[in-house]
Amino acid sequence: MSEPNESRAASVCQSCGGVMTNFYEHGTDRSGQRVAEYCRACFRDGVFTEPDVTISQMAQRRTSPPKAPYDPVREDAYAQVLISLAGLDRWKMPDRKVDSNAITRPHAQLCIDGSDQ
């Protein structure tokens, strides 16, 4: 990882998709060294800060919940965030898959073992 005073291009957290624009926004490994892949909100001391969070919950945090029973703008935003999160390293793990209805159903859960939740 670069030193604090080195200038670098912004990087994207491979868990939440947040942009990390400076050294201090990066997470840390077990020895306290900054890691390139994850932000400090998602990864500290070599572990995820929320190891059980689902991709659906992460997408809900990135988009505000609908205020009405159906809001096509927010539904579209949620779907786009979910698709973008699915391409990040944390969510590409082989034991995780996205519920096929999650794209259209905002409160769908990530199925970890392949069964419905």
Side-chain angles (χ1 to χ4, degrees), residues 89-97 112:
D89 290 348
R90 181 176 185 178
W91 309 112
K92 287 183 182 178
M93 294 178 188
D95 61 340
R96 295 178 180 241
K97 71 177 185 104
I112 294 178

Side-chain angles (χ1 to χ4, degrees), residues 1-116:
M1 189 72 213
S2 298
E3 293 299 318
N5 58 1
E6 284 188 37
S7 63
R8 324 185 38 175
S11 55
V12 174
C13 175
Q14 293 298 301
S15 177
C16 70
V19 176
M20 299 175 288
T21 58
N22 69 58
F23 180 80
Y24 298 104
E25 292 174 342
H26 289 265
T28 56
D29 63 18
R30 290 176 193 223
S31 67
Q33 297 297 310
R34 299 289 175 178
V35 297
E37 297 86 3
Y38 301 108
C39 73
R40 67 181 181 186
C42 292
F43 199 78
R44 282 188 219 133
D45 301 322
V47 295
F48 288 109
T49 57
E50 295 181 277
D52 298 323
V53 71
T54 66
I55 192 171
S56 188
Q57 290 167 332
M58 189 68 75
Q60 288 172 26
R61 292 177 186 168
R62 299 286 313 268
T63 57
S64 56
K67 293 180 182 178
Y70 179 73
D71 181 345
V73 173
R74 287 207 169 102
E75 293 282 330
D76 286 348
Y78 174 85
Q80 291 301 314
V81 168
L82 189 62
I83 289 167
S84 138
L85 288 174
L88 299 177
D89 290 348
R90 181 176 185 178
W91 309 112
K92 287 183 182 178
M93 294 178 188
D95 61 340
R96 295 178 180 241
K97 71 177 185 104
V98 177
D99 176 344
S100 61
N101 293 317
I103 305 276
T104 57
R105 202 166 29 106
H107 302 291
Q109 295 296 312
L110 172 70
C111 296
I112 294 178
D113 62 2
S115 63
D116 291 333

